[in-house]
Amino acid sequence: MGMLLEGKVSLITGAGQGIGRGIALRFAAEGARVGVLDINAAACEHVMTEITQAGGQAIALPANVTQGGDVRNAVHTLADRFGWPNVLVHNAGVMPSGRIDETGEEEWDRTFAVNVKGAYLTCREMIPMMRQAGGGSIILMASITGVNGLPGLAAYSATKGALISLARAMAIDYAREGIRVNTVSPGTIDSPMLHRFVAEQNDPARTRQAFDDMYPRGQVGTIDEVASVFVFLASDWASFVSGANYAVDGGMSIYSMQPRM
Ligand SMILES: NC(=O)c1ccc[n+]([C@@H]2O[C@H](COP(=O)([O-])OP(=O)(O)OC[C@H]3O[C@@H](n4cnc5c(N)ncnc54)[C@H](O)[C@@H]3O)[C@@H](O)[C@H]2O)c1
């Protein structure tokens, strides 16, 4: 099999670290040209260098996904450099914890701004370019919390549910233009986001074990296991896949926990 993403020009938000970085590296390894967008400019440069040193093609696009002007500049810079973009991954996200009565107004607004408005702004800029490219694939990063109830993640869960609904609406709206739209809903992934959350708890080792125990295989997922699904959805192998929400959680969301005997 040749490289799966040869000829693709992709924009990946939140690609400076964690899962987004993993997706960027895998896309480049599969032949895609990659726009590495992140609010952290140094991280963007670092990932771009990692890709180019491995023989891939990438451009660093420091930008804040909540700012329309930033997003427009980033998308135009990408198109000027690599041609019409045809793959968008909106992965940038923030995850404050808290139940609804513990969530401040600013935190609520910030969570929706990065997770949901970021999707709106990137899609709004990318869709006209995808038309020029003759079609494309949009993949929004949701989460298992967008469908399943998890405690203490109210605002975050609401944003992820919104992304799943947004993807379904866009999948219908743009189908005739050859633009597919899907969401990926990972379970817990061994990532900086998880490490930060675990480190903040009273007993980090116990918390980490509790996360692993939620999964039928006894272990959370890896960044590469998530990136593989993004490669598939971005590729032409997924030409009849649109409006779908892929759970990437090792069966956690269909797991009815039994008491341990
Ligand atoms: N880690 C998990 O277990 C897990 C599980 C399910 C879903 N997710 C989702 O995957 C995505 C990535 O998660 P991660 O664990 O890699 O997180 P992370 O915090 O390690 O990385 C997020 C990246 O997004 C960037 N970012 C944040 N705000 C931004 C903004 N306004 N503009 C541009 N970039 C911005 C950050 O600088 C960072 O590089 C998130 O959407 C998250 O909700 C993560």
Side-chain angles (χ1 to χ4, degrees):
M1 206 189 290
M3 290 200 283
L4 290 174
L5 302 180
E6 198 84 61
K8 304 292 184 198
V9 176
S10 60
L11 179 70
I12 304 171
T13 71
Q17 67 168 34
I19 302 174
R21 169 178 168 271
I23 295 168
L25 298 179
R26 284 288 299 281
F27 272 29
E30 290 293 346
R33 282 165 285 177
V34 180
V36 178
L37 189 155
D38 204 286
I39 197 167
N40 180 338
C44 278
E45 292 287 336
H46 181 74
V47 173
M48 180 195 72
T49 306
E50 282 186 284
I51 290 174
T52 49
Q53 283 180 350
Q57 295 185 71
I59 180 173
L61 301 168
N64 182 343
V65 294
T66 71
Q67 303 299 313
D70 271 24
V71 173
R72 184 167 307 131
N73 285 341
V75 170
H76 283 271
T77 306
L78 175 67
D80 288 346
R81 173 75 181 274
F82 290 139
W84 298 120
N86 50 11
V87 177
L88 167 63
V89 172
H90 177 54
N91 157 84
V94 290
M95 186 186 76
S97 45
R99 296 180 293 178
I100 205 71
D101 62 327
E102 299 155 352
T103 303
E105 207 171 322
E106 272 178 27
E107 192 152 64
W108 174 271
D109 286 344
R110 185 178 65 97
T111 311
F112 269 81
V114 179
N115 299 8
V116 184
K117 188 181 179 194
Y120 152 63
L121 290 173
T122 49
C123 289
R124 189 182 69 164
E125 296 304 326
M126 286 287 281
I127 285 167
M129 302 229 173
M130 287 184 175
R131 282 197 189 104
Q132 298 292 333
S137 171
I138 296 174
I139 314 161
L140 306 180
M141 178 65 92
S143 161
I144 221 66
T145 64
V147 178
N148 289 48
L150 262 76
L153 287 172
Y156 179 76
S157 301
T159 65
K160 296 304 186 179
L163 289 171
I164 293 168
S165 299
L166 174 63
R168 288 176 179 161
M170 291 195 299
I172 305 301
D173 284 341
Y174 300 108
R176 298 266 172 159
E177 298 177 86
I179 298 172
R180 300 180 293 104
V181 190
N182 295 287
T183 48
V184 173
S185 288
T188 314
I189 303 303
D190 203 341
S191 62
M193 191 182 261
L194 176 66
H195 300 164
R196 282 197 305 274
F197 182 83
V198 165
E200 286 165 10
Q201 308 308 307
N202 292 336
D203 185 345
R206 197 155 154 257
T207 304
R208 174 57 203 250
Q209 189 59 49
F211 272 112
D212 282 329
D213 286 343
M214 282 165 62
Y215 290 82
R217 73 177 184 186
Q219 244 182 355
V220 302
T222 67
I223 287 175
D224 229 32
E225 286 173 320
V226 178
S228 297
V229 179
F230 279 81
V231 169
F232 166 67
L233 290 172
S235 81
D236 296 338
W237 289 96
S239 57
F240 201 41
V241 181
S242 196
N245 175 39
Y246 271 62
V248 183
D249 66 353
M252 184 273 261
S253 55
I254 51 87
Y255 184 28
S256 294
M257 282 234 214
Q258 300 295 314
R260 294 247 177 92
M261 310 285 182

